[in-house]
Amino acid sequence: MEVLETQRLTIRGFQPEDWEDLHEYLSREEVVRYEPYGVFDEQASQAEALRRSADPAFWAVCLKESGKMIGNLYFQQQEPMTFRTWELGYVFNSAFHNKGYAAEACQRLLEYAFCDQQARRVTAHCDPRNTPSWRLLERLQLRREGHLLQTGYFKHDHEGHPLWHDTYAYGILDSEWLDSSQADSQRQKV
Protein backbone atom coordinates (compact mmCIF):
# COMPACT_ATOMS: atom_id res chain seq x y z
CA MET A 1 0.00 0.00 0.00
CA GLU A 2 1.17 3.48 -0.84
CA VAL A 3 2.04 6.03 1.83
CA LEU A 4 0.57 9.46 1.13
CA GLU A 5 1.65 12.68 2.78
CA THR A 6 0.29 16.17 3.26
CA GLN A 7 1.77 19.12 5.05
CA ARG A 8 0.59 17.80 8.45
CA LEU A 9 -0.41 14.18 7.86
CA THR A 10 0.81 10.74 6.86
CA ILE A 11 -1.83 8.48 5.32
CA ARG A 12 -0.82 4.81 5.36
CA GLY A 13 -2.09 1.28 5.74
CA PHE A 14 -3.31 0.08 9.11
CA GLN A 15 -1.05 -1.82 11.49
CA PRO A 16 -2.23 -4.11 14.31
CA GLU A 17 -0.55 -1.83 16.86
CA ASP A 18 -2.88 1.02 15.80
CA TRP A 19 -5.56 -0.51 18.04
CA GLU A 20 -5.08 1.90 20.95
CA ASP A 21 -5.52 5.00 18.79
CA LEU A 22 -8.43 3.30 17.00
CA HIS A 23 -10.04 2.47 20.34
CA GLU A 24 -9.64 6.08 21.46
CA TYR A 25 -12.22 7.19 18.91
CA LEU A 26 -14.30 4.07 18.15
CA SER A 27 -15.13 3.84 21.87
CA ARG A 28 -16.95 7.22 21.70
CA GLU A 29 -20.67 7.28 20.97
CA GLU A 30 -20.46 10.71 19.34
CA VAL A 31 -17.95 9.32 16.81
CA VAL A 32 -19.85 6.15 15.85
CA ARG A 33 -23.39 7.62 16.02
CA TYR A 34 -23.86 7.42 12.22
CA GLU A 35 -21.69 4.35 11.63
CA PRO A 36 -23.00 0.81 11.04
CA TYR A 37 -21.61 -0.33 14.40
CA GLY A 38 -21.72 0.63 18.05
CA VAL A 39 -18.90 1.61 20.37
CA PHE A 40 -15.91 -0.73 20.55
CA ASP A 41 -14.31 -2.13 23.68
CA GLU A 42 -10.56 -2.76 23.82
CA GLN A 43 -10.82 -6.34 22.57
CA ALA A 44 -12.99 -5.32 19.61
CA SER A 45 -10.57 -2.48 18.79
CA GLN A 46 -7.63 -4.91 18.77
CA ALA A 47 -9.49 -7.27 16.45
CA GLU A 48 -10.59 -4.41 14.19
CA ALA A 49 -7.07 -2.98 13.88
CA LEU A 50 -5.80 -6.45 12.96
CA ARG A 51 -8.61 -6.90 10.38
CA ARG A 52 -7.98 -3.47 8.86
CA SER A 53 -4.25 -4.18 8.62
CA ALA A 54 -5.13 -6.84 6.02
CA ASP A 55 -7.73 -4.71 4.20
CA PRO A 56 -6.32 -2.21 1.67
CA ALA A 57 -9.60 -0.25 1.71
CA PHE A 58 -8.73 1.22 5.13
CA TRP A 59 -6.13 3.98 5.49
CA ALA A 60 -4.80 5.23 8.83
CA VAL A 61 -4.51 9.03 9.08
CA CYS A 62 -1.62 10.01 11.35
CA LEU A 63 -0.16 13.28 12.53
CA LYS A 64 3.18 13.65 10.78
CA GLU A 65 4.96 15.10 13.83
CA SER A 66 3.96 12.48 16.41
CA GLY A 67 2.74 9.51 14.36
CA LYS A 68 -0.51 9.44 16.35
CA MET A 69 -3.41 8.01 14.37
CA ILE A 70 -6.30 10.49 14.53
CA GLY A 71 -8.74 8.88 12.12
CA ASN A 72 -9.18 6.65 9.15
CA LEU A 73 -10.29 6.78 5.56
CA TYR A 74 -12.15 4.12 3.65
CA PHE A 75 -11.40 4.01 -0.07
CA GLN A 76 -12.61 1.04 -2.07
CA GLN A 77 -12.95 0.47 -5.80
CA GLN A 78 -16.50 -0.58 -6.68
CA GLU A 79 -17.67 -3.29 -9.07
CA PRO A 80 -17.56 -3.46 -12.01
CA MET A 81 -13.90 -2.42 -12.10
CA THR A 82 -14.23 -1.12 -15.67
CA PHE A 83 -16.41 1.74 -14.33
CA ARG A 84 -13.36 3.07 -12.40
CA THR A 85 -15.55 4.20 -9.50
CA TRP A 86 -14.29 4.41 -5.92
CA GLU A 87 -16.18 4.97 -2.67
CA LEU A 88 -14.82 7.34 -0.02
CA GLY A 89 -15.59 7.26 3.70
CA TYR A 90 -13.99 8.65 6.86
CA VAL A 91 -14.13 8.55 10.64
CA PHE A 92 -12.04 10.87 12.82
CA ASN A 93 -11.27 11.14 16.52
CA SER A 94 -13.57 13.88 17.89
CA ALA A 95 -10.62 15.32 19.85
CA PHE A 96 -9.19 16.38 16.46
CA HIS A 97 -12.35 17.75 14.84
CA ASN A 98 -12.50 21.31 13.47
CA LYS A 99 -8.79 21.46 12.64
CA GLY A 100 -9.05 20.68 8.91
CA TYR A 101 -7.45 17.23 9.18
CA ALA A 102 -10.33 15.34 7.54
CA ALA A 103 -10.45 17.77 4.61
CA GLU A 104 -6.68 17.62 4.21
CA ALA A 105 -6.63 13.81 4.24
CA CYS A 106 -9.61 13.43 1.90
CA GLN A 107 -8.25 16.02 -0.53
CA ARG A 108 -4.98 14.09 -0.73
CA LEU A 109 -6.83 10.83 -1.27
CA LEU A 110 -8.90 12.38 -4.08
CA GLU A 111 -5.67 13.56 -5.71
CA TYR A 112 -4.32 10.01 -5.42
CA ALA A 113 -7.55 8.59 -6.86
CA PHE A 114 -7.70 10.80 -9.92
CA CYS A 115 -3.98 11.20 -10.64
CA ASP A 116 -2.53 7.81 -9.65
CA GLN A 117 -5.45 5.36 -9.82
CA GLN A 118 -7.12 6.89 -12.90
CA ALA A 119 -10.47 6.96 -11.10
CA ARG A 120 -13.30 8.21 -13.27
CA ARG A 121 -15.70 8.83 -10.39
CA VAL A 122 -15.60 8.98 -6.59
CA THR A 123 -18.76 8.57 -4.51
CA ALA A 124 -19.59 9.05 -0.84
CA HIS A 125 -22.67 8.62 1.33
CA CYS A 126 -23.68 10.09 4.66
CA ASP A 127 -26.62 10.49 6.98
CA PRO A 128 -28.30 13.89 6.41
CA ARG A 129 -28.29 14.47 10.19
CA ASN A 130 -24.47 14.34 10.11
CA THR A 131 -24.04 17.96 9.06
CA PRO A 132 -20.23 18.09 9.48
CA SER A 133 -19.89 15.09 7.15
CA TRP A 134 -21.95 16.46 4.26
CA ARG A 135 -20.39 19.90 4.68
CA LEU A 136 -16.96 18.27 4.33
CA LEU A 137 -18.04 16.51 1.13
CA GLU A 138 -19.27 19.79 -0.31
CA ARG A 139 -16.02 21.56 0.66
CA LEU A 140 -14.24 18.80 -1.25
CA GLN A 141 -16.37 19.75 -4.30
CA LEU A 142 -18.45 16.58 -4.32
CA ARG A 143 -21.93 17.16 -5.70
CA ARG A 144 -25.04 16.06 -3.81
CA GLU A 145 -26.74 13.67 -6.21
CA GLY A 146 -29.65 12.54 -4.12
CA HIS A 147 -31.50 12.33 -0.84
CA LEU A 148 -32.61 8.74 -0.41
CA LEU A 149 -35.32 8.05 2.16
CA GLN A 150 -35.14 5.27 4.77
CA THR A 151 -32.38 3.40 2.97
CA GLY A 152 -31.50 1.18 5.89
CA TYR A 153 -30.88 0.90 9.60
CA PHE A 154 -27.89 0.02 11.72
CA LYS A 155 -29.40 0.36 15.17
CA HIS A 156 -32.63 -0.26 17.09
CA ASP A 157 -34.64 1.73 19.62
CA HIS A 158 -35.17 0.55 23.20
CA GLU A 159 -38.12 -1.61 22.05
CA GLY A 160 -36.10 -3.33 19.31
CA HIS A 161 -37.62 -1.42 16.39
CA PRO A 162 -35.29 -0.42 13.54
CA LEU A 163 -34.07 3.18 13.51
CA TRP A 164 -34.32 3.85 9.77
CA HIS A 165 -32.02 6.49 8.33
CA ASP A 166 -31.93 8.54 5.17
CA THR A 167 -28.83 8.85 2.98
CA TYR A 168 -27.28 11.71 1.04
CA ALA A 169 -25.46 10.45 -2.05
CA TYR A 170 -22.47 12.45 -3.33
CA GLY A 171 -20.18 12.12 -6.30
CA ILE A 172 -17.46 13.81 -8.30
CA LEU A 173 -16.12 12.99 -11.76
CA ASP A 174 -12.48 13.17 -12.76
CA SER A 175 -13.27 16.12 -15.09
CA GLU A 176 -14.96 18.02 -12.23
CA TRP A 177 -12.07 17.35 -9.89
CA LEU A 178 -9.57 18.52 -12.52
CA ASP A 179 -11.58 21.71 -13.12
CA SER A 180 -11.79 22.48 -9.37
CA SER A 181 -8.08 21.68 -8.86
CA GLN A 182 -7.07 23.99 -11.70
CA ALA A 183 -9.30 26.75 -10.29
CA ASP A 184 -7.71 26.31 -6.83
CA SER A 185 -4.25 26.46 -8.40
CA GLN A 186 -5.14 29.69 -10.22
CA ARG A 187 -6.51 31.28 -7.01
CA GLN A 188 -3.29 30.43 -5.17
CA LYS A 189 -1.23 32.21 -7.84
CA VAL A 190 -3.20 35.44 -7.46
Side-chain angles (χ1 to χ4, degrees):
M1 177 180 263
E2 305 251 355
V3 174
L4 308 177
E5 293 191 355
T6 70
Q7 182 178 352
R8 303 181 295 169
L9 303 171
T10 300
I11 305 163
R12 58 161 174 79
F14 261 82
Q15 301 167 356
E17 54 270 18
D18 289 329
W19 78 266
E20 288 181 270
D21 287 339
L22 185 67
H23 179 69
E24 188 175 315
Y25 61 92
L26 291 187
S27 63
R28 296 179 181 183
E29 176 58 37
E30 74 271 11
V31 172
V32 301
R33 179 175 297 129
Y34 302 110
E35 296 301 314
Y37 44 79
V39 295
F40 280 51
D41 62 18
E42 286 189 5
Q43 185 177 2
S45 297
Q46 290 172 351
E48 185 64 11
L50 180 62
R51 186 188 75 74
R52 290 182 182 193
S53 71
D55 186 344
F58 285 95
W59 298 68
V61 178
C62 306
L63 295 174
K64 199 181 266 189
E65 283 187 14
S66 66
K68 179 175 183 55
M69 188 180 71
I70 60 168
N72 62 261
L73 302 175
Y74 171 82
F75 197 62
Q76 178 69 46
Q77 188 169 13
Q78 305 299 293
E79 296 286 341
M81 302 295 224
T82 56
F83 284 13
R84 297 182 2 251
T85 297
W86 296 72
E87 184 177 6
L88 170 67
Y90 41 82
V91 178
F92 278 78
N93 186 329
S94 56
F96 296 89
H97 285 181
N98 301 311
K99 299 180 185 333
Y101 292 127
E104 188 174 325
C106 289
Q107 185 64 41
R108 179 63 183 96
L109 198 58
L110 287 171
E111 178 185 330
Y112 170 74
F114 292 120
C115 294
D116 298 326
Q117 297 299 307
Q118 286 71 51
R120 183 189 59 81
R121 175 176 163 76
V122 173
T123 65
H125 301 89
C126 71
D127 189 309
R129 297 170 297 175
N130 191 349
T131 304
S133 184
W134 61 258
R135 284 187 176 158
L136 170 61
L137 292 170
E138 292 178 3
R139 271 196 315 277
L140 293 167
Q141 305 301 311
L142 276 78
R143 170 186 8 81
R144 187 180 302 169
E145 298 179 328
H147 181 167
L148 310 172
L149 302 179
Q150 296 188 7
T151 54
Y153 65 90
F154 303 135
K155 299 172 182 169
H156 298 82
D157 68 14
H158 64 281
E159 294 177 0
H161 299 111
L163 295 172
W164 293 97
H165 67 266
D166 292 357
T167 300
Y168 278 162
Y170 281 85
I172 187 170
L173 299 172
D174 54 356
S175 58
E176 295 170 315
W177 182 83
L178 183 59
D179 289 346
S180 70
S181 294
Q182 289 174 342
D184 288 345
S185 179
Q186 290 300 320
R187 280 193 289 276
Q188 289 174 359
K189 290 180 183 175
V190 174

